[in-house]
Amino acid sequence: MKMERYRVGNPINTESVVVDVPLTEGECGLLGYDYAGKSLSLELSGEDLVYGLGVTTHGMNKRGWVFVSDCADDPVHTEGKRSLYSAHNFFLVQKKESSVGVYIDTPGKVTFDVAFSESDEIKISFEDFDFDLYIFESASPYGVVSGFRSIIGESYMAPKWAFGLCQSRWSYATEKEVEELVESYEKAGIPLDSVCLDIDYMDEYMDFTISDERFPDFENFVKRMKAKNIHLVPIIDAGVKIKEGYEVYEEGLRKGFFCKKEDGKELVAAVWPGRVHFPDFLNKDAREWFGQKYRFLIDKGVDGFWNDMNEPAIFYTEDHLNEVFEKIETYKNRNLDINSFFEFKNLVGTIDNNPADYASFYHDYNGQRINHSKVHNLYGFNMTRAAGEEIKKIAPDKDILLFSRSSFIGMHRYGGIWTGDNCSWWSHLLMNIEQMPGLSMSGFIYSGADTGGFGCDCSKELLLRWTAFSIFTPLFRNHSAAGTRRQEYTAFGDSTDFKNIIGIRYALLPYIYNSFVRAVKENTMYMAPLSFAFPGDDRARNIEDELLLGDSLMLAPVYTQNAKGRFVYLPEDMTFYRLRSASDYDVIPLKKGDHYIDVAINEVPLFVRKDKSLEIGNAAMNTSEVNF
Ligand code: GLC
């Protein structure tokens, strides 16, 4: 594996790379440099496959679309979108006999036009032409990935219990509701390890508070859950409510730890609680201060957190809102025509997550005052870093679960991620499958999507098929939005099929966990495209709906409505396991080539690779019952 580092301009250190790779002078010969146009270009041949860029839309092979690294709170992940919640500037070009990896280390906005404008070129455009460029070359894509991962530090290791099922919904509003949920799973024989607490456990959506009214006996509640081996995982949001008497707000203000505007005053933005200030997570002292606040919940027995709204999501800023109200007045009694109508409509329509708002505040980053828009992509990373670093001090002997919505490369050392607000759409089940390799490449091994979909209503069939895939992702969480059809595994009548499918996850935990640990420790892929292992097989190279899981398994999930099975391509002889439960399955040897496999709605298809074997353990009700 060959690794090189080049520099253009004077980049802001993102702290994503932890190894000092010596700088090579001059330009990298693989790329074209356009200083005036602030862009780089990389030629592609027709055969080249492009993987990576982390959590994005548009397939496993990224050729044919434009991706913008600009962390966005956008819950509508449709095909036209260019940015989701994270910025992972690493991609890999897999040629026939070799692979090249490119990591663009810069905290600002970067656009990757991957053979969209020109079919034989990747064009990388910058707002600021200041970055470190890392190049990795190897005969194998695995070599490129391990080269890249070896310089960004070891990925976060989640506790074992976090490999069990997590049930979530926005929101379980009371202690009683959570207890009833857990009892209903026990009664139905559905395994469970954790329950997420969404924003309603808090008092007025204030971080590090608990509603006395809805969770009156929180400490004992945590204990009662622990006695059943159920872990509670509360949400923490980035914005701190502005409220007299609220300690986190008053202390943060006193210490000067909130982000400030040009005039030195704190930015007033709004999220769930109404007006908030944003902690300056890029400031080391502010990070330490905020991270220490997790102690409040850890002291109460909590051992898991999810960090949210940390792009950061902004409903509006007070300054911009005032301007909008003033402007709206000027449209009153006017004849709104083709232009003025849309201007009027956009006044409110563009008030959230507005670029002008992101450019209106500053960070104190390593002693420098830096405008937020220059380092936007580092915000979520540093929120989770705040938690990760301080939790280690607060509870050095405890393994704590931590995952985030927004991220940048580097955050993978502190926590995992979930892929944000997807929908109960079949296309989003496929997107989940397609997103997994990009996550492994970027080091986010502990990851997964909202199983069943967050927004919209989920059918029993979709939840069964989605669960049959999610049992293989490290983070396995069923989560749904307020107002959607109930999506718990008990909400669709007879839950036997769910119970059996989830039981398979528990029976396979030794393999799943072992593959996870290997991916973390050996900088390898947890889930990989087929082309990684079969680079010379043209059919395998172009498959986007099958995945390799660790060393021994291949997945070919069913992701279409009313399907009774699917076509599958096997790049080598494999053994097809059609599992109805951990103890009821068919074992069918299949030859290399094309097959149609029947997969009933209550079945999980699984393939064991040539010369590999699979041990299927027993279904269990909780990870504490599994020896792994
Ligand atoms: C955001 C999160 C979602 C959560 C909701 C309420 O939309 O992405 O998971 O349920 O906020 O906290």
Side-chain angles (χ1 to χ4, degrees):
M1 210 278 308
K2 186 173 149 202
M3 181 187 334
E4 282 173 332
R5 172 182 171 217
Y6 298 86
R7 173 165 289 184
V8 169
N10 187 16
I12 296 168
N13 184 1
T14 63
E15 300 178 12
S16 60
V17 173
V18 294
V19 172
D20 191 16
V21 180
L23 266 177
T24 307
E25 290 298 320
E27 295 181 353
C28 169
L30 291 174
L31 297 146
Y33 288 63
D34 174 357
Y35 292 89
K38 295 189 190 171
S39 70
L40 296 174
S41 56
L42 178 65
E43 255 178 54
L44 292 178
S45 86
E47 299 288 319
D48 295 350
L49 306 163
V50 183
Y51 294 117
L53 299 176
V55 188
T56 41
T57 57
H58 274 267
M60 226 179 254
N61 178 356
K62 298 297 172 189
R63 279 187 91 133
W65 189 239
V66 182
F67 305 92
V68 181
S69 281
D70 187 22
C71 298
D73 163 36
D74 185 340
V76 190
H77 310 168
T78 43
E79 268 190 53
K81 295 298 166 68
R82 297 181 171 197
S83 308
L84 296 180
Y85 306 89
S86 291
H88 300 159
N89 298 344
F90 174 68
F91 66 87
L92 180 154
V93 178
Q94 187 180 2
K95 303 185 171 295
K96 271 263 158 103
E97 261 133 42
S98 65
S99 286
V100 179
V102 177
Y103 177 48
I104 306 283
D105 191 10
T106 186
K109 193 164 160 180
V110 185
T111 301
F112 297 86
D113 179 332
V114 187
F116 176 74
S117 302
E118 300 288 341
S119 60
D120 56 356
E121 171 186 280
I122 299 181
K123 187 167 175 192
I124 309 165
S125 314
F126 296 77
E127 261 180 17
D128 296 308
F129 211 45
D130 299 288
F131 55 88
D132 272 355
L133 165 72
Y134 293 83
I135 301 286
F136 310 85
E137 289 179 75
S138 169
S140 134
Y142 289 108
V144 166
V145 170
S146 76
F148 170 58
R149 298 252 307 278
S150 72
I151 66 161
I152 58 171
E154 191 173 295
S155 297
Y156 164 77
M157 279 283 295
K160 284 189 172 173
W161 61 262
F163 287 80
L165 171 69
C166 176
Q167 181 57 53
S168 183
R169 178 155 174 102
W170 174 16
S171 263
Y172 300 125
T174 61
E175 266 171 36
K176 191 161 166 273
E177 204 182 333
V178 177
E179 294 199 274
E180 283 172 4
L181 168 84
V182 171
E183 275 162 30
S184 70
Y185 272 46
E186 277 167 4
K187 242 192 173 156
I190 299 172
L192 185 65
D193 269 80
S194 59
V195 178
C196 278
L197 300 180
D198 207 321
I199 47 176
D200 290 299
Y201 80 87
M202 295 183 226
D203 185 19
E204 293 179 57
Y205 309 123
M206 291 186 288
D207 282 337
F208 312 113
T209 66
I210 291 162
S211 159
D212 283 343
E213 199 188 307
R214 294 185 304 276
F215 290 81
D217 190 20
F218 192 78
E219 253 177 274
N220 281 320
F221 166 56
V222 177
K223 276 193 195 131
R224 287 198 300 278
M225 289 293 113
K226 272 273 158 71
K228 297 182 171 202
N229 285 313
I230 301 294
H231 300 255
L232 294 170
V233 184
I235 196 168
I236 306 290
D237 285 329
V240 169
K241 184 176 170 80
I242 299 175
K243 190 183 172 181
E244 299 275 307
Y246 167 38
E247 190 207 306
V248 183
Y249 159 70
E250 291 196 339
E251 208 178 80
L253 198 62
R254 214 170 42 242
K255 298 188 170 183
F257 285 158
F258 295 126
C259 293
K260 299 190 184 64
K261 299 185 292 184
E262 179 88 62
D263 63 7
K265 292 198 183 113
E266 279 76 14
L267 175 84
V268 179
V271 202
W272 308 121
R275 293 191 188 109
V276 298
H277 288 324
F278 289 125
D280 185 358
F281 294 120
L282 274 73
N283 170 344
K284 192 172 170 297
D285 297 332
R287 251 193 334 261
E288 194 176 328
W289 163 73
F290 192 86
Q292 280 293 327
K293 297 291 170 205
Y294 287 75
R295 187 188 291 275
F296 169 75
L297 287 154
I298 294 174
D299 284 350
K300 296 188 167 16
V302 165
D303 53 6
F305 298 94
W306 47 312
N307 285 344
D308 192 23
M309 306 300 269
N310 50 2
E311 294 71 31
I314 299 181
F315 291 174
Y316 60 85
T317 62
E318 196 174 54
D319 292 341
H320 190 177
L321 186 69
N322 289 338
E323 276 168 32
V324 167
F325 278 128
E326 270 171 36
K327 276 203 193 137
I328 282 180
E329 276 297 311
T330 67
Y331 286 83
K332 224 174 180 173
N333 304 323
R334 270 173 63 186
N335 172 10
L336 298 183
D337 63 8
I338 180 168
N339 295 321
S340 49
F341 168 71
F342 288 105
E343 277 163 20
F344 170 75
K345 198 173 165 216
N346 280 344
L347 279 177
V348 177
T350 59
I351 197 163
D352 54 338
N353 304 323
N354 190 296
D357 287 330
Y358 287 123
S360 74
F361 62 101
Y362 292 82
H363 295 278
D364 174 1
Y365 186 43
N366 294 333
Q368 257 185 299
R369 184 169 170 269
I370 300 184
N371 186 277
H372 176 80
S373 59
K374 304 266 176 217
V375 287
H376 174 69
N377 292 334
L378 299 184
Y379 194 75
F381 161 17
N382 281 287
M383 176 185 185
T384 299
R385 178 181 182 182
E389 284 177 345
E390 296 311 310
I391 284 172
K392 274 225 165 71
K393 298 182 199 157
I394 298 166
D397 305 326
K398 265 196 186 172
D399 280 337
I400 297 225
L401 171 63
L402 192 55
F403 59 99
S404 170
R405 191 170 74 176
S406 184
S407 68
F408 187 82
I409 285 167
M411 203 214 87
H412 70 289
R413 302 191 291 268
Y414 303 98
I417 49 176
W418 91 101
T419 57
D421 296 349
N422 57 5
C423 280
S424 299
W425 297 339
W426 289 92
S427 59
H428 279 187
L429 164 54
L430 176 60
M431 190 165 83
N432 183 188
I433 298 163
E434 293 165 342
Q435 284 176 333
M436 293 311 290
L439 289 166
S440 280
M441 288 166 63
S442 302
F444 290 93
I445 314 297
Y446 190 79
S447 55
D450 286 350
T451 301
F454 175 74
C456 303
D457 293 333
C458 188
S459 67
K460 184 174 188 180
E461 184 193 2
L462 177 58
L463 189 59
L464 278 163
R465 294 300 196 192
W466 205 319
T467 304
F469 174 64
S470 286
I471 57 170
F472 298 106
T473 62
L475 167 64
F476 172 29
R477 180 175 81 142
N478 173 337
H479 180 52
S480 55
T484 60
R485 181 183 184 183
R486 296 303 296 211
Q487 201 171 292
E488 289 78 8
Y489 289 113
T490 45
F492 297 86
D494 184 2
S495 56
T496 317
D497 294 343
F498 288 123
K499 164 187 146 176
N500 288 337
I501 291 176
I502 299 163
I504 297 169
R505 158 72 165 219
Y506 284 73
L508 294 178
L509 273 173
Y511 180 82
I512 288 170
Y513 187 69
N514 196 22
S515 303
F516 172 83
V517 172
R518 283 202 46 208
V520 168
K521 299 283 176 198
E522 296 171 24
N523 290 328
T524 188
M525 300 284 282
Y526 177 78
M527 283 184 175
L530 264 51
S531 66
F532 270 45
F534 303 95
D537 178 336
D538 283 338
R539 286 291 309 286
R541 282 172 73 84
N542 291 301
I543 286 189
E544 304 225 357
D545 61 355
E546 299 174 23
L547 279 171
L548 299 169
L549 195 189
D551 264 357
S552 310
L553 300 184
M554 190 190 85
L555 307 177
V558 176
Y559 55 88
T560 48
Q561 188 172 303
N562 292 318
K564 304 271 185 280
R566 59 163 285 173
F567 287 98
V568 61
Y569 172 72
L570 304 186
E572 62 187 5
D573 296 354
M574 292 191 188
T575 311
F576 170 38
Y577 279 69
R578 186 165 44 211
L579 300 127
R580 285 167 291 280
S581 73
S583 54
D584 175 17
Y585 48 86
D586 311 317
V587 183
I588 307 166
L590 292 177
K591 288 277 172 219
K592 170 183 158 112
D594 289 291
H595 299 271
Y596 181 86
I597 52 163
D598 292 322
V599 186
I601 189 66
N602 61 336
E603 292 176 328
V604 177
L606 183 61
F607 296 83
V608 180
R609 291 185 57 188
K610 194 177 173 189
D611 303 327
K612 303 281 182 190
S613 58
L614 176 67
E615 236 174 84
I616 303 174
N618 297 322
M621 285 297 284
N622 188 272
T623 51
S624 59
E625 298 166 15
V626 185
N627 195 3
F628 72 115

